[in-house]
Amino acid sequence: MPPSAAIRVALDAPLAGVFDVLTDYDDFERISSVYDDAHFLPRLGDDPVRVYTRVKGCVWFYCQTLERVEVLTNEGLTCLRTEAIPNASDFKRSVSTWTLREVEGGTEVTYSILMEPDFFVPPLIGPYVLKRRLRNGGTDAIARM
């Protein structure tokens, strides 16, 4: 089963402000230390919005730089979804969702991600470490917001 993670947290910030931060891919590294680079890719006509992200990950002595080109979609200000384009990414599958909901005093954020790497992941400990890294990366992003 591909590694996945989910996190839910309440932020003392308005929904529109949280949405603006999450969609600012040209400055995305400021909210997550996981990213070495992140930016919007040029659009051609009616093409979907695409973003590029690059992370460097290590499992003990084994390190790898991972790149993704993802299609970014949203449903108003309440749901952001990315889905990797496999032939332009180091993942067979990668889907993330940020769900935002106004609550008293701020915004509840739920983040979930499912990834199927298209690279070697050391057996036994690798999936555990990858899942922990995904969860920690989401927690880091939420804390920086």
Side-chain angles (χ1 to χ4, degrees):
M1 173 180 265
S4 63
I7 300 162
R8 178 178 293 154
V9 68
L11 298 176
D12 183 17
L15 187 140
V18 173
F19 179 86
D20 288 346
V21 169
L22 288 174
T23 56
D24 186 7
Y25 272 83
D26 289 327
D27 203 14
F28 207 64
E29 309 93 80
R30 74 187 168 125
I31 68 161
S32 180
S33 60
V34 171
Y35 294 94
D36 291 334
D37 187 16
H39 58 269
F40 286 100
L41 295 171
R43 285 183 80 178
L44 301 173
D46 292 333
D47 283 353
V49 174
R50 295 173 306 134
V51 294
Y52 168 83
T53 58
R54 182 181 66 224
V55 300
K56 182 176 182 180
C58 296
V59 176
W60 291 330
F61 58 88
Y62 181 77
C63 294
Q64 185 155 352
T65 299
L66 308 172
E67 298 177 302
R68 280 184 301 192
V69 173
E70 301 170 284
V71 173
L72 173 67
T73 56
N74 67 291
E75 297 171 18
L77 300 179
T78 60
C79 185
L80 292 166
R81 184 175 194 270
T82 64
E83 186 165 351
I85 300 169
N87 64 351
S89 303
D90 291 320
F91 296 87
K92 294 176 188 172
R93 181 174 178 208
S94 176
V95 178
S96 68
T97 305
W98 293 88
T99 305
L100 311 177
R101 184 173 70 91
E102 281 186 301
V103 295
E104 186 175 329
T107 304
E108 180 183 81
V109 179
T110 304
Y111 171 70
S112 63
I113 187 165
L114 172 71
M115 291 182 150
E116 186 176 350
D118 194 17
F119 53 88
F120 173 74
V121 176
L124 301 177
I125 192 72
Y128 166 78
V129 172
L130 186 56
K131 185 174 182 173
R132 191 182 75 208
R133 176 107 166 128
L134 293 173
R135 185 177 293 117
N136 291 347
T139 302
D140 180 45
I142 290 169
R144 289 180 182 217
M145 276 191 262

CSV table of all heavy atoms in Angstrom, one decimal, residues 3-28:
chain,number,residue,atom,x,y,z
A,3,PRO,N,2.4,4.9,0.8
A,3,PRO,CA,2.5,5.7,2.0
A,3,PRO,C,1.4,6.8,2.0
A,3,PRO,O,1.2,7.4,0.9
A,3,PRO,CB,3.9,6.2,2.1
A,3,PRO,CG,4.7,5.3,1.2
A,3,PRO,CD,3.8,4.9,0.2
A,4,SER,N,0.8,7.0,3.1
A,4,SER,CA,-0.2,8.1,3.2
A,4,SER,C,-0.1,8.7,4.6
A,4,SER,O,0.4,8.1,5.5
A,4,SER,CB,-1.6,7.6,2.9
A,4,SER,OG,-2.0,6.7,3.9
A,5,ALA,N,-0.6,10.0,4.7
A,5,ALA,CA,-0.6,10.6,6.0
A,5,ALA,C,-1.8,11.6,6.0
A,5,ALA,O,-2.2,12.1,4.9
A,5,ALA,CB,0.7,11.4,6.2
A,6,ALA,N,-2.3,11.9,7.1
A,6,ALA,CA,-3.4,12.9,7.3
A,6,ALA,C,-3.2,13.7,8.6
A,6,ALA,O,-2.7,13.1,9.6
A,6,ALA,CB,-4.7,12.2,7.3
A,7,ILE,N,-3.5,15.0,8.5
A,7,ILE,CA,-3.3,15.8,9.7
A,7,ILE,C,-4.5,16.8,9.7
A,7,ILE,O,-4.9,17.3,8.7
A,7,ILE,CB,-2.0,16.7,9.5
A,7,ILE,CG1,-0.8,15.8,9.4
A,7,ILE,CG2,-1.8,17.7,10.7
A,7,ILE,CD1,0.4,16.5,8.9
A,8,ARG,N,-5.0,17.1,10.9
A,8,ARG,CA,-6.0,18.1,11.1
A,8,ARG,C,-5.6,19.0,12.2
A,8,ARG,O,-5.2,18.6,13.3
A,8,ARG,CB,-7.4,17.4,11.4
A,8,ARG,CG,-8.5,18.4,11.7
A,8,ARG,CD,-9.8,17.8,11.9
A,8,ARG,NE,-10.2,17.1,10.7
A,8,ARG,CZ,-11.0,16.1,10.7
A,8,ARG,NH1,-11.5,15.6,11.8
A,8,ARG,NH2,-11.4,15.5,9.6
A,9,VAL,N,-5.8,20.3,12.0
A,9,VAL,CA,-5.4,21.3,13.0
A,9,VAL,C,-6.3,22.6,12.8
A,9,VAL,O,-6.7,22.9,11.7
A,9,VAL,CB,-3.9,21.7,12.9
A,9,VAL,CG1,-3.6,22.4,11.6
A,9,VAL,CG2,-3.4,22.4,14.1
A,10,ALA,N,-6.4,23.3,13.9
A,10,ALA,CA,-7.1,24.6,13.8
A,10,ALA,C,-6.1,25.7,13.9
A,10,ALA,O,-5.2,25.7,14.7
A,10,ALA,CB,-8.1,24.7,15.0
A,11,LEU,N,-6.3,26.7,13.0
A,11,LEU,CA,-5.4,27.8,13.0
A,11,LEU,C,-6.1,29.1,13.3
A,11,LEU,O,-7.3,29.3,13.0
A,11,LEU,CB,-4.8,28.0,11.5
A,11,LEU,CG,-4.0,26.9,11.0
A,11,LEU,CD1,-3.6,27.2,9.5
A,11,LEU,CD2,-2.7,26.7,11.8
A,12,ASP,N,-5.5,30.0,14.0
A,12,ASP,CA,-6.0,31.3,14.4
A,12,ASP,C,-5.8,32.3,13.2
A,12,ASP,O,-5.0,33.2,13.3
A,12,ASP,CB,-5.4,31.8,15.7
A,12,ASP,CG,-6.0,33.1,16.2
A,12,ASP,OD1,-7.1,33.5,15.7
A,12,ASP,OD2,-5.3,33.8,17.0
A,13,ALA,N,-6.4,32.0,12.1
A,13,ALA,CA,-6.3,32.8,10.9
A,13,ALA,C,-7.5,32.7,10.0
A,13,ALA,O,-8.2,31.6,10.1
A,13,ALA,CB,-5.0,32.3,10.1
A,14,PRO,N,-7.9,33.7,9.3
A,14,PRO,CA,-9.0,33.6,8.5
A,14,PRO,C,-8.8,32.7,7.3
A,14,PRO,O,-7.7,32.5,6.8
A,14,PRO,CB,-9.2,35.1,7.9
A,14,PRO,CG,-7.9,35.7,8.0
A,14,PRO,CD,-7.2,35.0,9.2
A,15,LEU,N,-9.9,32.0,6.9
A,15,LEU,CA,-9.9,31.1,5.8
A,15,LEU,C,-9.2,31.6,4.5
A,15,LEU,O,-8.4,31.0,3.9
A,15,LEU,CB,-11.3,30.6,5.5
A,15,LEU,CG,-11.4,29.4,4.5
A,15,LEU,CD1,-12.5,28.5,4.9
A,15,LEU,CD2,-11.7,29.9,3.1
A,16,ALA,N,-9.6,32.8,4.1
A,16,ALA,CA,-9.0,33.4,2.9
A,16,ALA,C,-7.5,33.6,3.0
A,16,ALA,O,-6.8,33.4,2.1
A,16,ALA,CB,-9.7,34.7,2.6
A,17,GLY,N,-7.0,33.9,4.2
A,17,GLY,CA,-5.6,34.1,4.4
A,17,GLY,C,-4.9,32.8,4.3
A,17,GLY,O,-3.8,32.7,3.7
A,18,VAL,N,-5.4,31.7,4.9
A,18,VAL,CA,-4.8,30.4,4.8
A,18,VAL,C,-4.8,29.9,3.4
A,18,VAL,O,-3.8,29.4,2.9
A,18,VAL,CB,-5.6,29.4,5.7
A,18,VAL,CG1,-5.1,28.0,5.5
A,18,VAL,CG2,-5.5,29.8,7.2
A,19,PHE,N,-5.9,30.1,2.7
A,19,PHE,CA,-5.9,29.7,1.3
A,19,PHE,C,-4.9,30.5,0.5
A,19,PHE,O,-4.2,29.9,-0.4
A,19,PHE,CB,-7.3,30.1,0.7
A,19,PHE,CG,-7.5,29.8,-0.8
A,19,PHE,CD1,-7.8,28.5,-1.2
A,19,PHE,CD2,-7.2,30.7,-1.8
A,19,PHE,CE1,-8.0,28.2,-2.5
A,19,PHE,CE2,-7.3,30.4,-3.1
A,19,PHE,CZ,-7.7,29.1,-3.5
A,20,ASP,N,-4.7,31.8,0.7
A,20,ASP,CA,-3.7,32.6,0.0
A,20,ASP,C,-2.3,32.0,0.2
A,20,ASP,O,-1.5,31.9,-0.7
A,20,ASP,CB,-3.7,34.0,0.4
A,20,ASP,CG,-4.9,34.7,-0.2
A,20,ASP,OD1,-5.6,34.2,-1.1
A,20,ASP,OD2,-5.2,35.9,0.3
A,21,VAL,N,-2.0,31.6,1.4
A,21,VAL,CA,-0.6,31.1,1.8
A,21,VAL,C,-0.4,29.7,1.1
A,21,VAL,O,0.6,29.5,0.5
A,21,VAL,CB,-0.4,30.9,3.3
A,21,VAL,CG1,0.8,30.1,3.6
A,21,VAL,CG2,-0.4,32.3,3.9
A,22,LEU,N,-1.5,28.9,1.1
A,22,LEU,CA,-1.3,27.6,0.5
A,22,LEU,C,-1.2,27.6,-1.0
A,22,LEU,O,-0.8,26.6,-1.6
A,22,LEU,CB,-2.5,26.7,0.9
A,22,LEU,CG,-2.5,26.2,2.3
A,22,LEU,CD1,-3.8,25.5,2.7
A,22,LEU,CD2,-1.3,25.3,2.6
A,23,THR,N,-1.7,28.7,-1.7
A,23,THR,CA,-1.6,28.7,-3.1
A,23,THR,C,-0.5,29.6,-3.6
A,23,THR,O,-0.4,29.9,-4.8
A,23,THR,CB,-3.0,29.2,-3.7
A,23,THR,OG1,-3.3,30.5,-3.1
A,23,THR,CG2,-4.1,28.2,-3.5
A,24,ASP,N,0.4,30.0,-2.7
A,24,ASP,CA,1.5,30.9,-3.1
A,24,ASP,C,2.7,30.0,-3.4
A,24,ASP,O,3.7,30.0,-2.7
A,24,ASP,CB,1.8,31.9,-2.0
A,24,ASP,CG,2.9,32.9,-2.4
A,24,ASP,OD1,3.3,32.9,-3.6
A,24,ASP,OD2,3.3,33.7,-1.5
A,25,TYR,N,2.7,29.2,-4.5
A,25,TYR,CA,3.7,28.3,-4.8
A,25,TYR,C,5.0,29.0,-5.2
A,25,TYR,O,6.1,28.4,-5.1
A,25,TYR,CB,3.3,27.4,-5.9
A,25,TYR,CG,2.6,26.1,-5.4
A,25,TYR,CD1,1.3,26.2,-5.1
A,25,TYR,CD2,3.3,25.0,-5.2
A,25,TYR,CE1,0.6,25.0,-4.6
A,25,TYR,CE2,2.7,23.8,-4.7
A,25,TYR,CZ,1.4,23.9,-4.4
A,25,TYR,OH,0.7,22.8,-3.9
A,26,ASP,N,5.0,30.3,-5.6
A,26,ASP,CA,6.2,31.0,-5.9
A,26,ASP,C,7.0,31.3,-4.6
A,26,ASP,O,8.2,31.7,-4.7
A,26,ASP,CB,5.9,32.2,-6.7
A,26,ASP,CG,5.5,31.9,-8.1
A,26,ASP,OD1,6.0,30.9,-8.7
A,26,ASP,OD2,4.7,32.7,-8.7
A,27,ASP,N,6.4,31.1,-3.5
A,27,ASP,CA,7.1,31.4,-2.2
A,27,ASP,C,6.8,30.2,-1.2
A,27,ASP,O,6.7,30.4,0.0
A,27,ASP,CB,6.7,32.7,-1.6
A,27,ASP,CG,7.7,33.3,-0.6
A,27,ASP,OD1,8.8,32.8,-0.6
A,27,ASP,OD2,7.3,34.2,0.1
A,28,PHE,N,6.5,29.0,-1.7
A,28,PHE,CA,6.0,27.9,-0.9
A,28,PHE,C,7.1,27.4,0.0
A,28,PHE,O,6.7,26.9,1.1
A,28,PHE,CB,5.6,26.8,-1.9
A,28,PHE,CG,4.6,25.9,-1.3
A,28,PHE,CD1,3.3,26.3,-1.0
A,28,PHE,CD2,4.8,24.5,-1.1
A,28,PHE,CE1,2.3,25.5,-0.6
A,28,PHE,CE2,3.9,23.7,-0.6
A,28,PHE,CZ,2.6,24.1,-0.3
